[in-house]
Amino acid sequence: MLEILSALRNKLSEAVHRNQSEGLLLSGGLDSSILALLSPGSKSFTVALESYGSDMRYAKQVSRFVNLRHYQEIFSVQKALDTIPEVIKILRSFDPAIPNDISIYIALNSAKEKGIKTVMTGDGGDELFAGYSYMHQLDLDSYIPRLTRSWTFSSNKLASALGIEVKQPYLDKEFVQFAIGIPQDLKVKSDIGKTWGKWILRKAFESELPSEIIWREKTAIEYGSGSTALREIIASTISDTEFTEKKKLYPIKFRSKEHLYYYEVYQKVIGEIPPPKKDEKQCSECGAGAPQNSQHCRVCGGFPIK
C-alpha cells in the first residue's frame, strides 16, 4: 500500500510539473486542492453566486494553507443570467448542466482579467478515481478506460473562446494510464463509517492537506459555487401553462422548465439542432448527431441516449 501511495503522489506531481500554469481554478474540493498543494506560486481563482455556495470557504482555507495568492469573485444573479447566451454560444449546447459552465466561464474570465494566460483545472479527477456516486456500483476496470476514450470537458472550449490555455494534469496521458491501472477496490472503499470515491487519492495526500479538505464529500461545481440556485430562478420565469404548450410545440424531450429556457436561448444564438452525420447516431431526445460510442448527447444533455 505504501508503494502505491508514494507512486500516486509522484506521478501526479510529475503531471502537474508537465502542465504548469500561472493560474488555478480552486474550488476547495479534493482534486483542485491537491493541485494547489503541488503548484506553489500559482494564483488561485474561486467564484460564487451571491449568498449561495460553500466553495469560497473551503478555497480560502486551502489557499491560506498552501500560501497561494487567492482571488475571489462574488457574482450576481443578473451577471449569471447575462452569461448564459455566451456560454451556450460557445458550447453549442442547451445541456441542463449549464449552471456548472457558467461558474467555470466566470472563473476563467476572472483569471483573464488578471492577465493570466494559462489556467490549471481539476478536470478528470472524478472520472479517473470514481468521484461520482453513480460510479460506485460499476465495473470500474472496464468503465473508466472506456470513459477516457470519449470524455470531453467544457473548460477547454470556454477557455479557448477567452484566449486562455487550459492545463489539466489529471488528463495527462502518462498519469491517465497510471490511474487506470489502480485497482477499483482502492478507488471506492469504506472508511470512517461510509463509502468513499477517490479513496486512494484521499489517502495519498492525507498527511499533506487538512482533514476537512481530504474527506470533503464530492460537491458538483454548481452546488459549490451556488449557481444551482439559478435553476429555481429560471424556472420561475416560465408558467406551467407555457411549459405544457411548448413541450407540444418543440420536438424535444425537455426535463424541466429550465431545460426549455436554455433551448430557447440556443435557438436565438445558434439556431437549428445539427442532424447526425454519416458516422453518427441520432439522439433520441433532441435528434442531434452523437458519436456511436457515446451515451451522452453534447447538444441537449440527454443520457443515456439510444
Side-chain angles (χ1 to χ4, degrees), residues 23-305:
L24 165 69
L25 299 194
L26 178 62
S27 69
L30 180 67
D31 301 335
S32 64
S33 296
I34 290 173
L35 297 183
L37 176 71
L38 299 175
S39 306
S42 280
K43 297 175 181 178
S44 56
F45 296 85
T46 307
V47 301
L49 181 65
E50 55 188 0
S51 303
Y52 301 95
S54 57
D55 279 356
M56 200 66 77
R57 176 172 70 86
Y58 289 107
K60 283 181 181 179
Q61 180 182 1
V62 172
S63 63
R64 289 171 181 166
F65 186 83
V66 301
N67 195 29
L68 294 183
R69 187 171 182 180
H70 185 57
Y71 297 94
Q72 57 189 39
E73 178 180 344
I74 306 296
F75 59 91
S76 67
V77 169
Q78 190 58 54
K79 180 170 182 174
L81 294 174
D82 291 344
T83 301
I84 290 173
E86 184 63 21
V87 168
I88 288 177
K89 183 178 180 180
I90 293 169
L91 299 180
R92 304 183 72 83
S93 168
F94 56 98
D95 190 321
I98 290 293
N100 274 342
D101 303 318
I102 292 170
S103 298
I104 294 171
Y105 180 85
I106 292 175
L108 288 169
N109 194 56
S110 180
K112 179 182 179 179
E113 290 175 350
K114 294 294 187 296
I116 301 297
K117 296 182 179 179
T118 55
V119 176
M120 190 180 295
T121 71
D123 294 328
D126 285 308
E127 288 77 6
L128 287 174
F129 292 93
Y132 300 112
S133 58
Y134 81 88
M135 298 176 73
H136 296 180
Q137 309 302 320
L138 301 179
D139 175 7
L140 300 179
D141 291 337
S142 62
Y143 178 75
I144 293 177
R146 187 168 66 250
L147 180 62
T148 64
R149 291 193 288 270
S150 62
W151 59 11
T152 60
F153 297 91
S154 63
S155 56
N156 296 92
K157 289 183 178 180
L158 296 171
S160 178
L162 289 167
I164 296 175
E165 182 180 3
V166 169
K167 301 287 188 175
Q168 299 157 305
Y170 291 105
L171 304 188
D172 181 272
K173 289 183 180 180
E174 185 175 327
F175 183 73
V176 168
Q177 290 307 307
F178 169 77
I180 285 175
I182 296 175
Q184 69 175 45
D185 62 355
L186 294 180
K187 294 178 179 177
V188 179
K189 196 175 182 71
S190 294
D191 202 343
I192 58 174
K194 64 175 296 181
T195 298
W196 299 90
K198 300 193 284 194
W199 182 84
I200 189 67
L201 190 60
R202 298 175 193 274
K203 297 298 289 186
F205 291 92
E206 187 175 32
S207 65
E208 300 182 58
L209 285 169
S211 178
E212 186 179 13
I213 300 300
I214 289 293
W215 298 104
R216 183 183 175 189
E217 293 188 45
K218 167 63 184 173
T219 303
I221 294 171
E222 66 174 89
Y223 290 99
S225 69
S227 60
T228 189
L230 292 173
R231 298 193 184 282
E232 290 186 10
I233 293 170
I234 289 171
S236 69
T237 67
I238 301 173
S239 69
D240 291 343
T241 300
E242 181 183 3
F243 185 50
T244 299
E245 291 176 349
K246 288 187 174 179
K247 282 197 296 183
K248 297 175 182 176
L249 177 64
Y250 300 127
I252 312 289
K253 292 183 180 178
F254 295 115
R255 301 185 214 170
S256 63
K257 293 179 180 179
E258 176 199 14
H259 200 192
L260 167 62
Y261 179 94
Y262 295 145
Y263 173 65
E264 294 194 319
V265 174
Y266 177 95
Q267 278 190 313
K268 293 177 182 177
V269 300
I270 300 295
E272 298 296 321
I273 292 174
K277 298 177 182 177
K278 289 184 178 180
D279 59 344
E280 292 182 327
K281 62 182 177 182
Q282 186 174 49
C283 172
S284 53
E285 297 193 16
C286 74
Q292 291 291 342
N293 63 345
S294 176
Q295 290 187 299
H296 175 252
C297 177
R298 295 173 188 171
V299 177
C300 74
F303 180 87
I305 57 174

